[in-house]
């Protein structure tokens, strides 16, 4: 178990990597630090639930949504499926980053990469929760879009800076890896969430 001061120190370090002096001071790149960084997944869960609720709100505005299993599944089932999918694609993303580091002969940077990526994901989900909360509580799509765009750009930029600092990537290589991580996220999330929700309907 980690305390909030430890987590806050790593969040601040990620912020400095992306928007400050670029230094990763404050990130614990030890073996214990790598394992501790996976607490970020648990800390991300509440922000992820807010984002998932906003996604469902947006999807519900589409006439086609009412015919999907997602419209008929209870919210607790949907949230459980999404959280499991989150953990699954997070793990798949880490595996992809490790493989990328090995292919670039940068295995010595793997620990720092994993730590920065894990805490970076927490920061990204915190940012994405802001527009999601606005949509949930106000229902204002224009305001949501106004806040979601810079939050999304900031999320991509954080990932960009983490990759560029921890891996010997060209600009093109960094772009490719970000796109690849996005594809992993969309694919794994879709497959895992759909499988879990479909499994639920087998027993109801």
């Amino acid at each position: 178990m980690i305390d909030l001061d430890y987590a806050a120190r790593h969040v601040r370090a990620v912020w400095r990597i992306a928007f400050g002096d670029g230094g990763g001071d404050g990130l614990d790149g030890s073996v214990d630090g790598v394992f501790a960084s996976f607490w970020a997944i648990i800390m991300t869960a509440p922000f992820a639930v807010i984002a998932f609720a906003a996604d469902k709100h947006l999807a519900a505005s589409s006439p086609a949504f009412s015919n999907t299993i997602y419209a008929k599944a209870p919210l607790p089932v949907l949230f459980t499926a999404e959280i499991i999918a989150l953990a699954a694609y997070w793990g798949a993303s880490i595996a992809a980053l490790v493989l990328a580091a090995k292919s670039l002969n940068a295995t010595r940077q793997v620990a720092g990469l994993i730590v920065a990526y894990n805490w970076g994901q927490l920061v990204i989900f915190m940012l994405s929760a802001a527009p999601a909360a606005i949509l949930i509580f106000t229902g204002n799509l224009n305001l949501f879009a106004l806040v979601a765009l810079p939050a999304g750009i900031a999320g991509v930029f954080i990932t960009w800076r983490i990759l560029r600092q921890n891996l010997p990537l060209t600009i093109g290589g960094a772009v490719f890896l970000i796109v690849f991580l996005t594809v992993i996220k969309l694919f794994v999330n879709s497959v895992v969430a759909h499988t879990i929700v479909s499994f639920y309907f087998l027993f109801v």
Side-chain angles (χ1 to χ4, degrees):
M1 184 67 179
I2 61 172
D3 57 38
L4 291 179
D5 287 340
Y6 182 91
R9 174 162 61 89
H10 285 76
V11 167
R12 288 194 297 269
V14 167
W15 194 263
R16 285 195 300 272
I17 289 174
F19 304 107
D21 57 13
D25 296 342
L27 290 178
D28 182 0
S30 67
V31 174
D32 288 341
V34 171
F35 284 105
S37 71
F38 284 96
W39 279 98
I41 300 177
I42 296 173
M43 300 180 75
T44 293
F47 301 103
V49 167
I50 295 173
F52 298 150
D55 289 342
K56 190 175 189 299
H57 185 90
L58 283 173
S61 64
S62 170
F65 179 75
S66 60
N67 296 321
T68 68
I69 58 175
Y70 296 103
K72 301 172 184 176
L75 278 178
V77 174
L78 286 177
F79 287 153
T80 300
E82 293 289 358
I83 291 298
I84 294 173
L86 167 67
Y89 80 66
W90 199 315
S93 297
I94 292 294
L97 291 174
V98 171
L99 289 175
K102 288 183 177 180
S103 69
L104 294 166
N105 296 316
T107 52
R108 291 184 178 181
Q109 286 124 281
V110 165
L113 174 63
I114 291 174
V115 171
Y117 180 80
N118 283 345
W119 291 112
Q121 289 299 296
L122 173 59
V123 175
I124 290 169
F125 270 94
M126 289 170 68
L127 291 173
S128 68
I134 288 173
L135 179 63
I136 292 169
F137 291 111
T138 70
N140 190 320
L141 287 174
N142 291 328
L143 184 57
F144 165 76
L146 184 65
V147 179
L149 180 59
I153 293 173
V156 173
F157 186 71
I158 289 170
T159 303
W160 167 272
R161 292 289 294 139
I162 288 171
L163 295 179
R164 292 279 285 171
Q165 176 158 309
N166 290 279
L167 292 175
L169 288 166
T170 63
I171 293 176
V175 170
F176 173 81
L177 189 51
I178 289 174
V179 171
F180 185 59
L181 290 172
T182 302
V183 171
I184 289 175
K185 175 180 178 179
L186 294 174
F187 176 76
V188 175
N189 183 74
S190 176
V191 171
V192 173
H194 188 275
T195 299
I196 292 172
V197 174
S198 298
F199 189 75
Y200 163 79
F201 280 110
L202 292 177
F203 297 92
V204 295

